[in-house]
Amino acid sequence: METLQTPGREMTDLTDYVLHLADNALILGHRNSEWTGHGPVLEQDIAISNIALDLIGQARMLYQYAARLCGGTQTEDSLAYLRDAWDFKNCLLVELGRGDWAFTVLRQFFFSTYQYLLYQKLTGSRDATLAAIAEKAVKEVSYHLRWSGEWVVRLGDGTQESHRRMEAALLELWAYTGELTTDAPYESRLSRSGVAVAVPSLQVPWTQKVTEVLREADLRLSLEALLGNTWMQQGGKLGTHTEHLGFILAEMQYMQRTYPGSNW
Amino acid sequence: MTNQQNWPLWEVFIRSKQGLDHKHVGSLHAADAGMAMENARDVYTRRQEGVSIWVVESAHIHASNPEEAESFFDPANDKVYRHPTFYNLPDSLKNM
């Protein structure tokens, strides 16, 4: 039995939800930033760094909002730098190691497809702040989607080696895609009150878009074999993470933890 | 960055705002026109430098020969009457 919504519950749910959206953006942004200076060619180094910056920009807007919701002494920085792994609510997909270029662009494509559908719907949220953030972010995300989709096709339908790597990335990433469209309790409660997006409703359009691009990328057969795999990894949205998140936080939070309150 | 040697070179032209011409801003490597367009967007317009982009494969550009510069350009030197500098332009015309 679902208990009645109380104002206190809705507030906690909203904070969790905003943090979930922010953590997704921050962690993938940080992962992508690991390519800066290491991209396969100069132009793509800049492209992936731009995407990283877009995501970190989205994370900042969301953390600022979350800090207002938390009240007290919380700031966007304390939320990013002083929470531990179990407080993070990002999907597992975004925290996985950087991988090779095929892994990076396919992960980005899976995530951008989700984020594009999500933000499009979130512009109609009852929460005006979330709606405004989504409105601004959806333009960036449609470019990420275009860019990553073209890379998926280019590599999937490229050389034997690039096709092999794309296939390997697909096999590795697939089990992490289900969590994107499986809702956490805070998400489903908030979607009923018109604040959050009901992510299960994104599953059909997500699969459609992904199928369309993977078909063009000559990865149709691999995808069809995977579509029957319904077992999916999950836990990130509720704070149960893979071993990768601890490492990324250690690197990201090291300075603030060692020299509390330092700035430059 | 060895791949770059295999990718053709492209010249990038950016229109900085409506009503102005596209100006040459530089060049980059890309595998195809689509990638050239996205690379140009990422490399040359990330600080709001433009509203429109053209990319042309450098191989398609034919340039005048510097050795022929004298016969090409010098004859125009002493023909001031060809210059439209004798008209008064209204102040409101900014980009002429």
Side-chain angles (χ1 to χ4, degrees):
Chain A
M1 278 291 277
E2 194 64 38
T3 49
L4 274 176
Q5 279 287 13
T6 61
R9 162 55 96 41
E10 173 143 344
M11 198 60 184
T12 323
D13 280 349
L14 182 58
T15 311
D16 284 349
Y17 184 58
V18 176
L19 283 173
H20 155 65
L21 297 175
D23 293 343
N24 267 349
L26 176 70
I27 299 298
L28 187 55
H30 193 86
R31 272 291 175 238
N32 285 342
S33 76
E34 292 173 17
W35 279 105
T36 305
H38 303 275
V41 296
L42 176 76
E43 290 84 350
Q44 299 307 329
D45 191 306
I46 296 177
I48 193 80
S49 303
N50 277 349
I51 292 177
L53 281 174
D54 285 347
L55 288 171
I56 287 167
Q58 291 170 19
R60 285 197 59 191
M61 291 190 285
L62 291 160
Y63 283 132
Q64 284 162 5
Y65 184 32
R68 284 208 302 280
L69 294 171
C70 291
T73 55
Q74 293 284 16
T75 64
E76 53 174 321
D77 288 331
S78 68
L79 289 171
Y81 291 122
L82 298 175
R83 283 180 308 142
D84 219 326
W86 48 78
D87 302 318
F88 273 72
K89 295 170 178 36
N90 58 279
C91 297
L92 302 176
L93 178 77
V94 299
E95 72 198 39
L96 302 175
R98 180 182 83 170
D100 60 10
W101 189 248
F103 188 89
T104 295
V105 295
L106 185 62
R107 183 225 318 254
Q108 188 64 49
F109 171 65
F110 283 159
F111 183 75
S112 294
T113 306
Y114 151 80
Q115 221 189 17
Y116 179 73
L117 297 166
L118 176 89
Y119 281 161
Q120 249 188 345
K121 281 204 170 173
L122 198 60
T123 57
S125 169
R126 205 163 52 78
D127 184 298
T129 310
L130 281 180
I133 293 174
E135 177 107 35
K136 180 167 188 298
V138 77
K139 287 186 219 158
E140 299 170 349
V141 175
S142 36
Y143 185 76
H144 305 169
L145 180 56
R146 170 187 161 150
W147 178 89
S148 58
E150 284 180 11
W151 265 107
V152 168
V153 173
R154 194 172 288 132
L155 293 183
D157 192 20
T159 65
Q160 224 175 6
E161 171 69 4
S162 70
H163 182 82
R164 186 189 66 73
R165 285 182 183 233
M166 218 51 211
E167 211 156 40
L170 179 58
L171 281 177
E172 211 173 322
L173 284 165
W174 188 254
Y176 295 93
T177 57
E179 193 184 15
L180 298 172
T181 52
T182 307
D183 50 4
Y186 53 83
E187 267 182 303
S188 67
R189 282 193 295 268
L190 282 180
S191 69
R192 261 173 269 144
S193 54
V195 172
V197 174
V199 285
S201 70
L202 306 180
Q203 210 209 329
V204 172
W206 185 89
T207 311
Q208 250 166 18
K209 175 71 183 173
V210 165
T211 310
E212 179 195 310
V213 170
L214 290 191
R215 184 173 290 156
E216 205 189 325
D218 197 22
L219 291 160
R220 184 177 59 89
L221 291 177
S222 323
L223 176 70
E224 274 171 10
L226 288 170
L227 282 174
N229 285 6
T230 49
W231 186 83
M232 289 287 174
Q233 298 275 4
Q234 51 185 318
K237 288 182 173 186
L238 295 176
T240 311
H241 292 278
T242 67
E243 70 272 28
H244 300 285
L245 186 67
F247 289 102
I248 203 173
L249 292 185
E251 190 181 319
M252 204 173 74
Q253 300 183 337
Y254 168 78
M255 286 298 281
Q256 269 311 307
R257 301 253 186 213
T258 314
Y259 305 99
S262 67
N263 55 46
W264 57 289
Chain B
M1 308 229 166
T2 50
N3 293 350
Q4 265 191 328
Q5 265 102 59
N6 307 325
W7 289 354
L9 193 66
W10 300 73
E11 300 300 323
V12 181
F13 300 81
I14 306 263
R15 182 205 288 278
S16 57
K17 59 180 183 182
Q18 297 300 348
L20 292 189
D21 304 329
H22 283 76
K23 281 221 162 56
H24 184 238
V25 293
S27 56
L28 46 76
H29 289 92
D32 51 52
M35 196 203 274
M37 194 62 95
E38 288 174 14
N39 286 350
R41 180 260 192 198
D42 283 322
V43 176
Y44 292 110
T45 68
R46 52 205 295 263
R47 298 182 188 87
Q48 290 188 302
E49 290 94 336
V51 295
S52 164
I53 301 174
W54 288 350
V55 290
V56 182
E57 219 181 309
S58 311
H60 293 310
I61 293 193
H62 302 267
S64 60
N65 187 344
E67 284 163 23
E68 293 167 348
E70 282 185 16
S71 60
F72 257 57
F73 307 115
D74 285 359
N77 250 351
D78 55 354
K79 300 180 175 66
V80 283
Y81 47 86
R82 289 181 183 165
H83 293 227
T85 44
F86 304 106
Y87 297 95
N88 290 322
L89 286 180
D91 291 339
S92 54
L93 263 183
K94 290 208 174 64
N95 299 314
M96 189 75 179

